[in-house]
């Protein structure tokens, strides 16, 4: 790859750069983290990635919004049937910008789930669940299921009519599963009837158990993406890994990108199966 | 073997005396809080004993005490007297135990690590799991089985009442329930009542009466212990209907249309001192007949959506205690 | 070369190509990601603002003083003993909710509650093992494309139908009576208005429809124009009292409502000559 010649740096600039690099080098020598971040940031991805590939990180952003707003909400929310509703009213109507944080959390949940479905559809249509990305797809489906569970447990927390009855029906739905159903329903409820134990249980799951699982799975998901690479769109002519490019190739000298030679050779050679 | 000065001696192997000493000190501190007369002196004694042993051990080389033989050094004399262990192809990475050593250290350490790890994992996980899963098998609160609905005179014969009450007044709102009650008159001298739960047998949605509810006739009854009963006259002429998925029931609670898998649940009841007392809830497969002549096919309480008769009951062989 | 070896070789080629010709994630791809993230956060904030500013502190003002475009801030406090509420899950569960309404027969309930969702989840997990072809181009994956379209369409339809599913909540139907009186023209007829109110709370709209309210169930006819069917007040009264006498064994007998109320309902139905 041709490298453009850089102008020589002034001494002042060199000193400035050295000053900035010093703490980073210090950290790198003792932890290797800086190198890791640099690897993540500057790794190569196929040149033909398009806007559809942003759905994954958009989902991550939505989740991060949920995390942050959730942490703030937890500072004001009281997870006890007698006080939960009042605490939600307090957050929405009295706390400074509480309405905004609560609103972002409420609508962020919907956006998170929609984006997960869109991302899933994109991956499916691109065939990016095929070898070697099968494990990543499975992790993704787990994230989808657990994400919807997160929404279900969070729905109970305001303890208003909608919350309570949606949860009654949801738990009873689980109860209709064969053999283990009744016990699963009892476990979710924390007893034979929905009560304070149910709310506390759902709160613990919503705050600790499920987000922990989501964060762990997202970490695994991202690790696999970095390790296995991002796949090109299936219709791409310059797809990485497609066979025909190997055979007939010239570089255009400037950017180092290979350029296809003959269009019809694409079809003859089978196009992209990378 | 005397250590030579100037040459860095082979330091004595680590002993556990400092740990014993620390344990003794910890015992003293705990004893000061818990039981100054018994535990603290015991802790003091332990600390003193181990302090003595530790000091004696640490000063051994200055007092000229011969060093104890290091375990590692035992290899040399053992190898000199016993035939050398022949090195063969395909031998295990862990060498055979030398004579005098019954059990190679690394194997013991491996086993001990895994074993202890398992024990620690168990000690942490089992109580936690027990706490989380316990309610799945636990009994329903006994307090829930005894709700005083007030004098039986509030339930005129042949009329329906919509009764709202707390299953447990101490827990308050979260235990509020509604039942549809009709006094059927006397059966063999005893009052006969039909008491139907308002939770749909499909998925637990609140069931509405198909008929007028005369809110103007609302009666509030205070039966003590924080229990506030609300009684409203109603007339479910068309039975009951569930707004969630369209389940319909007749006035005896039998399913007439929609997805409910059985009849509405009912409450057991008893009459004590002229008061109507609600008992446990139970599930009903179906009811033949009406009013006081009804034959109720009674089963133990099952959750909504769970079949209790018919072929699909094999899906629900076990019920947690209610 | 076995199929697996071919795939491995192709993957190696892919990695080689990316190394040779790829662009660094930062700033190329990350720029797109950042823009999209900004859009996402803006949408979330926008939704939150609209939701807050179109609703009031009291959930009862919705539909009146506040438009509540995106719903109220909260509904009434939980009342486990209520008889006047229609449970609904969050919108992303509407497709599962509507499945429950499709499986109306008691024996099939378990299919809708756990059967179908479990099967779908198993297929979702097993997808990479069900589809092991290397082909990724859409035009050469007809099964995948058709399946995707079907899934999206069905989930979309189920979600929509779950959203608009209406149920006969007595209090809501009763609130519609004044508009019925206006549209059918019986507002001056006190008996008809009383009859309409009795009609509203007796669960009739669980099966019948009337001027757009209620859910058609079990083949029950629309009653908006019942007065034109020539049954007459007495005929209607007898029918509702005991439909089985006229061969209708599906509809419950409403005799216990009392003849006064039955008469009122009959007057109301007789005055229903169809929407004007």
């Amino acid at each position: 790859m041709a490298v453009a010649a850089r102008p020589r740096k002034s001494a002042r600039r060199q000193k400035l750069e050295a000053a900035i690099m010093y703490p980073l080098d210090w950290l790198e020598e003792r932890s290797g983290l800086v190198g890791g971040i640099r690897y993540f940031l500057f790794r190569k991805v196929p040149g033909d990635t398009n806007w559809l590939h942003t759905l994954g990180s958009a989902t991550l952003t939505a989740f991060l919004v949920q995390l942050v707003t959730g942490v703030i909400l937890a500072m004001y929310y009281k997870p006890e049937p007698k006080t939960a509703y009042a605490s939600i009213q307090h957050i929405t109507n009295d706390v400074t910008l509480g309405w905004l944080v609560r609103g972002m959390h409420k609508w962020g949940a919907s956006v998170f789930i929609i984006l997960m479905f869109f991302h899933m559809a994109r991956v499916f249509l691109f065939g990016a669940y095929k070898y070697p990305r099968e494990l990543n797809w499975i992790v993704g489906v787990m994230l989808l299921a657990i994400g919807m569970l997160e929404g279900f447990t969070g729905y109970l927390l305001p303890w208003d009519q909608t919350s309570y009855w949606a949860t009654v029906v949801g738990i009873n739905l689980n109860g209709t599963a064969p053999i283990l159903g009744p016990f699963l329903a009892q476990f979710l409820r924390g007893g034979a009837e929905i009560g304070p134990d149910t709310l506390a249980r759902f709160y613990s799951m919503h705050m600790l158990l499920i987000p922990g699982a989501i964060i762990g799975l997202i970490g695994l998901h991202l690790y696999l993406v970095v390790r296995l690479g991002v796949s090109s769109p299936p219709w791409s002519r310059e797809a990485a890994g497609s066979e025909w490019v190997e055979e007939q190739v010239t570089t255009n000298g400037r950017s180092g990108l290979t350029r296809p030679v003959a269009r019809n050779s694409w079809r003859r050679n089978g196009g992209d199966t990378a | 073997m005397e250590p030579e000065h100037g040459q860095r001696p082979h330091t004595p192997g680590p002993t556990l005396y400092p740990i014993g000493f620390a344990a003794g000190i910890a015992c003293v501190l705990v004893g000061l809080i818990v039981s100054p007369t018994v535990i603290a002196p015991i802790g003091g004694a332990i600390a003193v004993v181990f302090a003595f042993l530790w000091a004696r051990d640490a000063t051994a080389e200055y007092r000229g005490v011969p060093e104890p033989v290091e375990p590692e050094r035992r290899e040399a004399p053992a190898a000199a007297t016993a035939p050398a262990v022949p090195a063969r192809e395909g031998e295990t990475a862990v060498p055979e135990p030398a004579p005098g050593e019954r059990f190679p250290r690394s194997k013991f350490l491996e086993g001990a690590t895994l074993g202890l790890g398992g024990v620690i994992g168990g000690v942490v996980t089992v109580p936690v799991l027990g706490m989380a899963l316990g309610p799945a098998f636990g009994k329903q609160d006994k307090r829930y089985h005894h709700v005083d609905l007030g004098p039986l005179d509030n339930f005129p014969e042949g009329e329906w009442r919509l009764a709202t009450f707390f299953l447990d007044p101490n827990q308050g709102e979260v235990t509020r329930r509604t039942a549809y009650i009709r006094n059927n008159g006397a059966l063999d001298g005893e009052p006969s009542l039909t008491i139907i739960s308002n939770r749909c047998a499909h998925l637990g949605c609140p069931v509405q009466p198909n008929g007028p509810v005369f809110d103007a006739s609302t009666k509030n009854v205070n039966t003590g212990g924080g229990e506030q009963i609300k009684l409203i006259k109603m007339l479910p002429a068309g039975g009951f209907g569930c707004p969630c998925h369209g389940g319909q029931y007749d006035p005896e609670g039998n399913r007439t249309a929609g997805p409910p898998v059985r009849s509405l649940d009912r409450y057991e009841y008893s009459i004590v001192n002229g008061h109507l007392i609600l008992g446990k809830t139970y599930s009903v497969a179906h009811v033949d007949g009406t009013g006081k002549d009804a034959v109720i096919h009674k089963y133990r309480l099952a959750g909504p959506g769970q079949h209790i008769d018919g072929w699909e009951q094999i899906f629900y062989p076990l019920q947690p205690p209610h | 070369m076995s199929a697996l070896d071919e795939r491995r070789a192709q993957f190696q080629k892919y990695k080689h190509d990316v190394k040779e010709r790829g662009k660094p994630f930062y700033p190329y791809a990350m720029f797109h990601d950042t823009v999209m993230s900004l859009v996402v956060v803006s949408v979330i904030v926008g939704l939150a603002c609209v939701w807050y500013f179109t609703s009031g502190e009291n959930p009862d003002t919705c539909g009146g003083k506040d438009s509540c475009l995106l719903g109220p801030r909260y509904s009434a406090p939980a009342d486990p003993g209520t008889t006047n509420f229609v449970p609904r899950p969050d919108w992303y569960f509407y497709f599962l909710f509507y499945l429950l309404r499709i499986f109306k027969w008691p024996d099939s309930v378990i299919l809708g509650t756990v059967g179908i969702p479990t099967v779908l989840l198993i297929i979702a997990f097993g997808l990479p093992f069900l589809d092991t072809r290397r082909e990724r181009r859409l035009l050469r994956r007809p099964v995948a494309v058709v399946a995707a379209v079907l899934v999206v369409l069905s989930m979309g339809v189920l979600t929509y139908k779950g959203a608009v599913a209406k149920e006969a909540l007595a209090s809501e139907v009763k609130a519609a009576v004044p508009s019925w009186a206006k549209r059918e023209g019986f507002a001056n007829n006190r008996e008809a208005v009383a009859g309409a109110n009795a009609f509203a709370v007796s669960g009739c709209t669980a099966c019948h429809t009337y001027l757009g309210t209620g859910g058609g169930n079990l083949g029950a006819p629309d009653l908006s124009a019942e007065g034109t069917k020539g049954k007459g007040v007495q005929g209607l009264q007898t029918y509702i009292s005991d439909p089985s006498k006229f061969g209708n064994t599906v509809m419950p007998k409403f005799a216990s409502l009392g003849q006064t109320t039955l008469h009122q309902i009959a007057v109301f139905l007789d005055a229903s000559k169809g929407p004007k």
Side-chain angles (χ1 to χ4, degrees):
Chain A
M1 201 156 121
V3 175
R6 290 213 186 91
R8 264 200 356 242
K9 294 183 183 167
S10 67
R12 253 184 88 213
R13 187 180 166 94
Q14 278 179 341
K15 270 208 206 123
L16 183 64
E17 283 185 1
I20 295 176
M21 290 307 296
Y22 181 76
L24 291 175
D25 287 336
W26 185 95
L27 194 58
E28 166 69 7
E29 190 177 341
R30 287 153 183 75
S31 68
L33 283 175
V34 180
I37 295 178
R38 216 180 246 142
Y39 174 74
F40 174 78
L41 283 180
F42 293 105
R43 72 186 200 274
K44 294 282 175 50
V45 294
D48 44 9
T49 49
N50 58 29
W51 284 96
L52 288 171
H53 286 95
T54 59
L55 287 168
S57 66
T59 315
L60 178 63
T61 305
F63 178 68
L64 289 175
V65 166
Q66 292 303 93
L67 259 185
V68 171
T69 53
V71 165
I72 309 290
L73 285 172
M75 295 182 183
Y76 290 93
Y77 173 73
K78 317 237 172 334
E80 220 283 319
K82 294 188 184 150
T83 48
Y85 188 81
S87 70
I88 294 284
Q89 277 182 314
H90 179 60
I91 292 173
T92 317
N93 301 320
D94 305 328
V95 174
T96 314
L97 292 180
W99 60 268
L100 182 59
V101 175
R102 183 183 167 222
M104 286 175 72
H105 198 77
K106 177 188 161 77
W107 292 103
S110 300
V111 168
F112 175 57
I113 293 189
I114 293 188
L115 285 176
M116 269 203 292
F117 275 109
F118 282 178
H119 177 63
M120 183 177 178
R122 194 279 296 168
V123 170
F124 178 79
L125 288 174
F126 277 26
Y129 57 88
K130 300 184 188 237
Y131 176 89
R133 300 180 177 93
E134 299 101 323
L135 182 62
N136 214 10
W137 169 268
I138 292 178
V139 171
V141 174
M142 286 171 74
L143 276 167
L144 179 67
I146 295 183
M148 294 188 78
L149 265 182
E150 179 80 335
F152 174 64
T153 48
Y155 206 57
L156 176 65
L157 301 183
W159 202 256
D160 60 2
Q161 283 279 61
T162 358
S163 310
Y164 181 85
W165 289 104
T167 307
V168 166
V169 176
I171 292 182
N172 288 328
L173 262 161
N174 281 296
T176 62
I179 320 274
L180 285 181
F183 296 93
L184 178 60
Q186 198 105 324
F187 163 73
L188 285 172
R189 269 194 297 254
E193 299 270 343
I194 293 195
D197 283 345
T198 318
L199 183 57
R201 206 163 262 254
F202 270 48
Y203 188 57
S204 166
M205 289 199 281
H206 185 77
M207 283 275 291
L208 304 167
L209 184 62
I210 300 182
I214 293 184
I215 291 175
L217 286 173
I218 288 184
L220 180 57
H221 201 66
L222 286 179
Y223 164 74
L224 287 172
V225 168
V226 172
R227 182 187 161 87
L228 300 170
V230 179
S231 52
S232 300
W235 54 77
S236 155
R237 299 273 173 95
E238 299 170 354
S242 53
E243 284 136 342
W244 66 276
V245 173
E246 279 279 302
E247 293 178 25
Q248 292 146 58
V249 127
T250 59
T251 62
N252 66 4
R254 265 184 298 117
S255 67
L257 283 173
T258 54
R259 188 179 284 266
V261 171
R263 282 179 101 188
N264 48 8
S265 66
W266 175 68
R267 282 189 209 285
R268 253 189 281 126
N269 288 326
D272 166 41
T273 52
Chain B
M1 279 187 256
E2 298 267 331
E4 292 161 277
H5 281 278
Q7 191 184 47
R8 194 179 163 79
H10 199 87
T11 50
T15 60
L16 292 178
Y17 301 137
I19 297 181
F21 176 70
I25 297 291
C27 207
V28 169
L29 292 172
V30 166
L32 284 175
I33 299 174
V34 170
S35 164
T37 47
V38 175
I39 299 189
I42 294 178
I46 297 175
V48 164
V49 164
F50 277 102
F52 170 70
L53 290 171
W54 184 11
R56 187 186 71 165
D57 187 65
T59 56
E61 71 180 38
Y62 297 107
R63 289 185 284 116
V65 170
E67 251 182 51
V69 175
E70 294 298 319
E72 284 85 352
R73 297 192 184 192
R74 235 183 283 155
E75 302 274 322
T81 52
V85 178
R88 283 186 298 268
E89 251 185 26
E91 201 169 303
T92 57
V94 176
E96 303 255 332
E101 259 192 25
R102 271 186 310 120
F103 204 57
R105 268 178 77 161
S106 55
K107 264 211 171 36
F108 170 74
L109 287 176
E110 275 172 42
T113 308
L114 290 174
L116 277 180
V119 168
I120 294 172
V123 165
V124 169
T125 327
V126 169
V128 168
L129 275 182
M131 212 176 124
L133 296 176
F137 305 92
K139 279 199 182 312
Q140 192 186 24
D141 217 325
K142 286 203 193 57
R143 290 172 292 186
Y144 283 14
H145 296 164
H146 181 103
V147 181
D148 184 355
L149 287 183
L152 196 55
D153 304 327
N154 286 329
F155 302 91
E157 188 177 321
E159 288 186 11
W160 282 92
R161 287 292 183 271
L162 193 162
T164 316
F165 49 89
F166 292 132
L167 285 176
D168 176 12
N170 290 329
Q171 291 201 31
E173 271 300 321
V174 80
T175 61
R176 183 184 285 277
R177 296 290 180 269
T178 298
Y180 301 123
I181 305 181
R182 182 183 63 205
N183 188 338
N184 301 316
L187 175 70
D188 301 332
E190 291 284 323
S192 162
L193 289 122
T194 302
I195 307 183
I196 299 181
S197 161
N198 90 321
R199 295 287 178 100
C200 183
H202 174 223
L203 286 172
C205 290
V207 153
Q208 305 173 85
N210 286 338
V213 175
F214 305 101
D215 290 312
S217 70
T218 305
K219 189 170 181 155
N220 289 307
V221 179
N222 200 322
T223 56
E227 186 69 70
Q228 302 271 0
I229 316 289
K230 210 174 357 176
L231 296 172
I232 311 177
K233 181 168 170 196
M234 64 166 202
L235 183 54
F240 306 97
C242 181
C244 266
H245 313 98
Q248 295 290 321
Y249 303 89
D250 72 6
E252 286 299 316
N254 283 319
R255 169 212 171 255
T256 53
V261 301
R262 53 178 206 257
S263 302
L264 288 169
D265 296 341
R266 291 191 176 210
Y267 285 84
E268 287 173 357
Y269 66 93
S270 48
I271 312 289
V272 176
N273 293 335
H275 279 221
L276 174 62
I277 313 287
L278 284 188
K280 290 205 300 200
T281 327
Y282 59 90
S283 288
V284 179
H286 61 98
V287 178
D288 299 321
T290 59
K292 56 182 182 234
D293 302 319
V295 174
I296 305 168
H297 294 254
K298 178 177 170 174
Y299 290 78
R300 98 201 131 167
L301 183 62
Q306 296 164 12
H307 298 255
I308 51 180
D309 67 347
W311 69 273
E312 276 177 273
Q313 64 177 296
I314 56 169
F315 287 144
Y316 310 104
L318 302 162
Q319 285 287 343
H322 286 275
Chain C
M1 216 177 14
S2 77
L4 191 55
D5 286 332
E6 268 184 33
R7 299 186 128 188
R8 287 183 182 140
Q10 188 173 56
F11 185 61
Q12 291 310 314
K13 215 178 306 167
Y14 158 84
K15 291 181 85 140
H16 174 80
D17 280 346
V18 169
K19 203 159 125 183
E20 295 281 303
R21 304 182 287 131
K23 297 187 190 150
F25 174 72
Y26 173 87
Y28 290 95
M30 192 143 160
F31 169 70
H32 293 164
D33 284 344
T34 313
V35 169
M36 186 64 172
S37 299
L38 180 64
V39 169
V40 166
V41 175
S42 314
V43 165
I44 294 178
V45 170
L47 284 171
C49 289
V50 170
W51 166 74
Y52 180 71
F53 289 115
T54 58
S55 60
E57 274 189 36
N58 187 347
D60 296 325
T61 57
C62 275
K65 188 167 65 108
D66 302 298
S67 60
C68 291
L69 268 177
L70 290 173
R73 292 180 196 177
Y74 29 75
S75 45
D79 179 6
T82 190
T83 54
N84 191 29
F85 190 75
V86 186
R88 284 286 184 274
D90 216 350
W91 69 266
Y92 43 86
F93 283 119
Y94 277 166
F95 70 102
L96 288 175
F97 158 68
Y98 200 71
L99 263 183
L100 296 172
R101 291 178 126 235
I102 292 178
F103 289 92
K104 291 199 277 240
W105 310 271
D107 288 342
S108 63
V109 162
I110 194 173
L111 269 182
T113 55
V114 292
I116 290 188
T118 309
V119 165
L120 286 178
L121 202 57
I122 291 178
I123 294 178
F125 272 118
L127 179 65
F129 308 105
L130 290 171
D131 177 9
T132 50
R133 293 171 67 217
R134 284 161 64 195
E135 184 60 68
R136 292 202 306 133
R137 288 166 294 178
L138 284 172
L139 288 177
R140 311 226 177 167
R141 294 165 63 203
V143 176
V145 172
V146 167
V149 168
L150 277 180
V151 166
V152 168
L153 268 184
S154 49
M155 282 187 68
V157 165
L158 284 174
T159 305
Y160 171 72
K161 292 200 78 107
V164 301
K166 277 202 292 198
E167 267 310 339
L169 194 59
S171 56
E172 283 173 9
V173 181
K174 208 165 160 179
V177 166
S179 77
W180 293 353
K182 237 202 248 181
R183 287 172 70 184
E184 296 271 3
F186 60 75
N188 296 321
N189 187 341
R190 208 177 282 161
E191 273 224 283
V193 173
N197 279 311
F199 175 85
V201 299
S202 298
C204 311
T205 46
C207 295
H208 291 281
T209 45
Y210 188 92
L211 286 185
T213 318
N217 249 337
L218 302 170
D222 179 74
L223 299 174
S224 315
E226 194 64 10
T228 58
K229 304 253 168 82
K231 292 198 177 116
V233 174
Q234 192 53 50
L236 284 165
Q237 193 173 335
T238 328
Y239 189 96
I240 302 171
S241 184
D242 189 353
S244 64
K245 289 219 182 79
F246 297 81
N248 184 348
T249 48
V250 180
M251 180 167 154
K253 303 174 201 181
F254 285 87
S256 50
L257 276 178
Q259 292 304 316
T260 331
T261 315
L262 285 170
H263 184 78
Q264 287 169 340
I265 297 181
V267 168
F268 152 69
L269 285 175
D270 193 56
S272 306
K273 308 287 187 198
K276 298 218 190 356

